[in-house]
Structure formats: structure tokens, C-alpha cells
Amino acid sequence: MDSHGQEEQPPVWAVVATDIGPLFLAATRDGLVNVVFHATDTIRDKALDRLASRLGAQPVEDPGSPLLAEAIRQLTAYFAGELRDFTLPLDWSLITGFNRQVLRELASGVPYGTVVGYGDLAGRVGQPGAAQAVGVAMGSNPLPVIVPCHRVVERDGGIGGFGGGLETKRKLLALEGVLPEPLF
């Protein structure tokens, strides 16, 4: 039992096939806690080790878990073009401070089909000179796609960087109608 008298529940995980490749998803009883791109066995195993260390419990594979089922359903609908806004409980425990502040603003303030500049996002959280720090926050986003760091671009029109790779960022922006579909 935990300090609230509730039964301890280990974190759960699954790998889901998507249009941008396999995604590793992990959830705690508080919500979705981690999404990892290109979830090969090696990447999945590294993500599991990191989560076990950070959360203090070894995640258990359970794709049918109610904690993951809704996330899988919403991601499937998103990639099918049927969902624009994720309505999932999120566990923000893997990120703190400025990075958490920036990612929360991104999640609530940059809707589907739009983009924001790194500097503009810095200004929204009261740090107008912190464009590079916003880039660091995007790179440390534990919940990509759900917390849409793919929607953050360079001021001069450049696509910017992306932890999932630029091809993945382009595909996500094309899905949302921001960019044309890649030709190949």
C-alpha cells in the first residue's frame, strides 16, 4: 500500500505500431509518463532501464492495461486523422522546473495544425531570451507527440531539430496540415 492507502501499481508499458514507426508508451497510475520514438528492442530496453531507475519500480508489459488502452486508442485515432486533441492524464514526474513549465505551455497553448517559434514559446513562459533553453526543453520532452514538441520551429521558417528525427517531425507536421506530405 502507498501513503494514500491505495494498492501499489507498477508502471506499465507497451509498444504500439504507428505511421512514424513503433512508439514505446509507459504509464503510471497518475497517467502517461513516457513516449519513445523508434522503439526497437534495444531502444525499448534502454527506456525500461531509465524508467525503472527514475520511477523506483520496474515497468511491466501490459498493453491491455486501462492505463495504456486509452492512450493507444487516442494515438491510433490521431494517426488516422480522426483526433486533434489528446485528452489523456499525464504524469509529469520525469520533468521539472523550466522544462516542465515550457512543455505544459506547449501542451495547452499550441493547438493541432499550428506551430510556434522557440523564442515565442520562451516569451509565453516569461523568459523572452530563452529560445535555446526552450530547445533543450523540447529535446528532454518525455511525452513527444502527446506534448507536441514537433510544433516548435525556428523563427526564420526552418523546421528546427527533433529527437525523433527530422523525417518524423515532417511527417507529424504533414499529418496536421502544416507541411505538405513528403513526396517519398
Side-chain angles (χ1 to χ4, degrees), residues 26 42 57 103 138 143 150 164 184:
T42 301
L103 290 170
M138 296 306 104
L143 295 162
H150 59 278
F184 43 87

Side-chain angles (χ1 to χ4, degrees), residues 24-154:
F24 169 87
L25 307 177
T28 67
R29 70 175 185 183
D30 295 327
L32 193 65
V33 71
N34 201 206
V35 176
V36 179
F37 292 112
H38 316 299
T40 61
D41 291 348
T42 301
I43 290 172
R44 179 205 62 214
D45 290 347
K46 287 180 183 177
L48 286 167
D49 288 345
R50 270 193 318 273
L51 279 174
S53 173
R54 297 283 307 273
L55 298 175
Q58 184 64 45
V60 175
E61 184 175 16
D62 189 359
S65 162
L67 296 171
L68 290 174
E70 183 61 14
I72 292 168
R73 187 196 70 72
Q74 287 189 33
L75 279 164
T76 301
Y78 170 79
F79 284 108
E82 300 165 356
L83 180 83
R84 291 178 169 231
D85 298 309
F86 292 101
T87 56
L88 297 168
L90 302 177
D91 178 340
W92 294 93
S93 65
L94 296 181
I95 196 149
T96 60
F98 176 79
N99 290 359
R100 182 187 287 190
Q101 183 182 8
V102 168
L103 290 170
R104 282 182 178 263
E105 173 60 30
L106 175 64
S108 66
V110 183
Y112 182 98
T114 65
V115 293
V116 65
Y118 292 94
D120 293 334
L121 190 53
R124 289 185 187 192
V125 296
Q127 301 290 326
Q132 286 184 328
V134 166
V136 171
M138 296 306 104
S140 65
N141 181 3
L143 295 162
V145 182
I146 308 300
V147 177
C149 53
H150 59 278
R151 296 180 190 153
V152 183
V153 298
E154 294 175 348

